[in-house]
Amino acid sequence: MKAAVLHEVNKPLVIEDVSVPNPGPREVLIRTRVAGLCHSDLHFMEGLYPHPLPAVLGHESAGVVEKVGSDVHYVKPGDHVVTCLSVFCGTCDNCTTGRTVLCTDTTVKMLPGQSNRLSWARSEKLNQFLNLSSFAEQMLVHENAIVKIRKDMPLELAALIGCGVITGYGAVVNTAGVRAGETVAVIGCGGVGMAAINGAEIAGAARIIAIDTNPAKLQLATKLGATDIVDPSNGDVVKQVRDLTNGGVHHSFEVLGRKETAEQAFAMLAAGGTATIVGMIPFGQKIELHGFDFLRERRIQGSSMGSNHFRVDMPRLIEFYMRGKLHLEDWISAKLKLSEINEGFANMKAGKTVRSVIMFDA
């Protein structure tokens, strides 16, 4: 099969011939139909987060089951599935207390560099990325890395749910628990930020403030539920939000993964408010907060993949789409071939896209 391989950080991905074996016990072989380009992939491509190389990246995807290994009863060949990097074992302390997104069992959730699911003619080892490696025509994954979906759901839209949508929506609904009537600010209107905005609208937030410097993204945010827009180039972001809300928001969501915006997310809170950091702040970087603000019971927390229970959450998100509540068509900026993947990431870095997807049948 063809796959996009990262050989060195800050170098283009290279399309290579790669092989996968037949599925072993509890493994599923998937024909990849769609893979989304996520900013998280870019973080690893730029070396902001470490990962053994060479590796096949990609983690936001949908496809069709081709083969299953022994002891697989959840899916069968022909089933449509969405992948999720939140693979779970079902038996560790976190799984059995309902926090499958924080599974700690590395016999299922393989550590980077331990996978032997990918091979090629070269002598060096080829690493699987986040138990998935979606930038390839096929994926060999553990059965607990997928969710079965209805076949009338368009796969190019279903793929978005596998990371961007579940991360943004879940941060609002699962991690922060936004309630009807509360005020929300979202810093960053890329794919995950749009999901947070759409999720806040579904949750019944009274005021949803979209923050971005891109006018086109701000305009799309209003279609997805934003009631107000803030452009940081017009002045102090925190002051703009505080002025709009007469003192601050109940919930802020930082989706860019930057030190300064994480600090702004905390600063724009009303007393008793919560800042949720969704973006991937570069590894090793610290943020600074005013200690006094904690005296007014302001909180800051992280969110991992939207605190998801993906086999429950993702089918529900598909139902939201089918009922016209989740506006997924508006997010796809470009449909690409695998050979165009580097161009897609360049456009992402330039802020030109909300989401680009690779269509493997194109």
Side-chain angles (χ1 to χ4, degrees), residues 182-185 206-209 227-228 230 237-251 267-270:
E182 292 186 320
T183 52
V184 168
R207 201 85 176 265
I208 305 170
I209 303 169
T227 59
D228 302 271
V230 166
V237 171
V238 173
K239 185 178 186 304
Q240 290 187 68
V241 171
R242 285 188 168 277
D243 288 346
L244 280 170
T245 56
N246 193 29
V249 291
H250 294 106
H251 297 276
M268 66 179 59
L269 293 174

Side-chain angles (χ1 to χ4, degrees), residues 4 30 82 93 124 133 140 152 219 224 236 279 313-314:
I30 300 166
V82 174
D93 286 353
E124 69 262 37
S133 291
L140 181 63
D152 57 346
Q219 183 178 7
L224 299 181
D236 186 328
D313 291 341
M314 290 186 185

Side-chain angles (χ1 to χ4, degrees), residues 290-322:
H290 292 288
F292 172 79
D293 288 338
F294 289 100
L295 297 178
R296 299 296 291 162
E297 298 193 358
R298 295 179 177 91
R299 295 175 295 276
I300 187 166
Q301 64 181 353
S303 178
S304 177
M305 285 294 293
S307 304
N308 71 75
H309 301 88
F310 71 85
R311 283 195 176 168
V312 174
D313 291 341
M314 290 186 185
R316 289 179 179 176
L317 285 164
I318 287 173
E319 294 306 314
F320 283 142
Y321 166 74
M322 292 295 189

Side-chain angles (χ1 to χ4, degrees), residues 277-298:
I277 307 303
V278 185
M280 295 175 65
I281 297 172
F283 190 82
Q285 192 168 67
K286 301 180 186 300
I287 63 174
E288 300 175 90
L289 305 173
H290 292 288
F292 172 79
D293 288 338
F294 289 100
L295 297 178
R296 299 296 291 162
E297 298 193 358
R298 295 179 177 91

